[in-house]
Each structure stands twice: as C-alpha cells, then as structure tokens.
Amino acid sequence: MTEAVVTRREQILATAAELFARRGFHGVSVAELGTACGISGPALYKHFASKDAVLAEMLVSISEQLLLVGRERVAAAPGPRAAVAALVDWHVEFALRDKALIVVQDRDWSSLPDDAREQVRTLQRAYVDLWAAQLRLVDPELGLDAARASAHAAFGLINSTPHSGRLPVEEMRGLLIVMATRALLGR
C-alpha cells in the first residue's frame, strides 16, 4: 500500500490548524508558522498570499470535504436510516481526526475574510440540508426547521470531542456514534 504524498501546501494547512487551535489565529505569526513547517516566513508566501488565505483555505476546504463525502455516503446508503447512520459515522470520523479544525472554526471564525466566510456558510448550509433531507425521509412529519435543528444538535454533540479527551479514540468513536444515532433516529 502506498502512502499519500503530502504536499507542502497541505503540510502548511495542517501545521497552521494545530498552531491556530493552540494559540489562536492572531497568536501565530507568519514567521512562527514558517518555522514550524521548516521554511522561512517569507517562503510561506510562495504557497499562500497571506495568513488570512491560510485560514480561508483551511476552513473552506474542510467544509467542501464534509459536504462531498457526506453526499457520497448518502448516495451509497440503501435507505434514509442508513444514510443518517452513514452521515453520523462520517462526521464522527471528521471530528476525531480534525479536532484542531473544529477549535479553529469556533474560535477564529471572525478572523475569516468575508468572502471565505460566505463560502463556508454556503457549504455548511448545504451540509446541514443534506442531513435534514435524510432526517425528513426517516420521519416525514418532521418539519424542515426541526430537521435542521436536529442536525445542528448532532453536530454540537459530535463536535464537542476536542474538549473531551478522556476516552481512547475508538471508545469515543463508539460512544459518539451511539449517542448521535439514538438522538437522531431514536435507537
């Protein structure tokens, strides 16, 4: 099996996510980010126009990935209950793998450039609506607003993982899947 090749750009994004999660977007200089990536601060500008551009790509790209994989999981599911379960599994996978991105989005949202913020909002609305559509197929009496609120509540439960590191990852995965699935599907 071949390992995925990580580009310098991907390395910068991953390193920035960890640094921003620990110290905040404004607490990390371009020079510090470059040093953490093994390059000079000015060399960072070969890959990104600015530190703001790093934050924008970080949050836009994860929002695109959540929606893309979510759509793939729904398309592969044999029915709406299985689709909801697949969405829960996917979001738990993301939350356990990308804890830093959850922290960065929560804390540094206001530092996101306006155009990127609107792009992230659009992608996130589509992701919520993907969940809401499946929830409404499971329960046709569920209104759209209630389905969206249910999706947001599930995200809140799952996205709390950066703050709860007391369980081993696989135990946390199982717990989150059971809790979110029960909350959404009643079992």
Side-chain angles (χ1 to χ4, degrees), residues 28-62:
V28 178
S29 71
V30 169
E32 291 168 320
L33 179 54
T35 299
C37 293
I39 59 177
S40 69
L44 194 70
Y45 294 118
K46 291 179 184 174
H47 304 281
F48 293 93
S50 65
K51 190 171 82 166
D52 288 351
V54 172
L55 180 64
E57 184 166 327
M58 179 187 307
L59 296 181
V60 168
S61 66
I62 193 57

Side-chain angles (χ1 to χ4, degrees), residues 82-140:
V84 171
L87 287 168
V88 166
D89 185 64
W90 161 234
H91 202 89
V92 168
E93 180 183 319
F94 150 72
L96 292 174
R97 182 192 66 220
D98 293 317
K99 294 177 186 180
L101 291 174
I102 294 169
V103 172
V104 171
Q105 172 144 340
D106 285 348
R107 187 181 44 224
D108 295 314
W109 175 257
S110 63
S111 299
L112 200 58
D114 290 341
D115 59 333
R117 190 177 309 126
E118 187 53 40
Q119 192 175 2
V120 170
R121 275 191 189 122
T122 299
L123 291 162
Q124 288 177 342
R125 277 191 294 268
Y127 186 58
V128 168
D129 284 345
L130 178 68
W131 283 63
Q134 296 308 307
L135 290 169
R136 293 183 77 204
L137 289 171
V138 170
D139 179 1

Side-chain angles (χ1 to χ4, degrees), residues 1 26 59 88 147 150:
M1 179 185 290
H26 294 293
L59 296 181
V88 166
S150 296

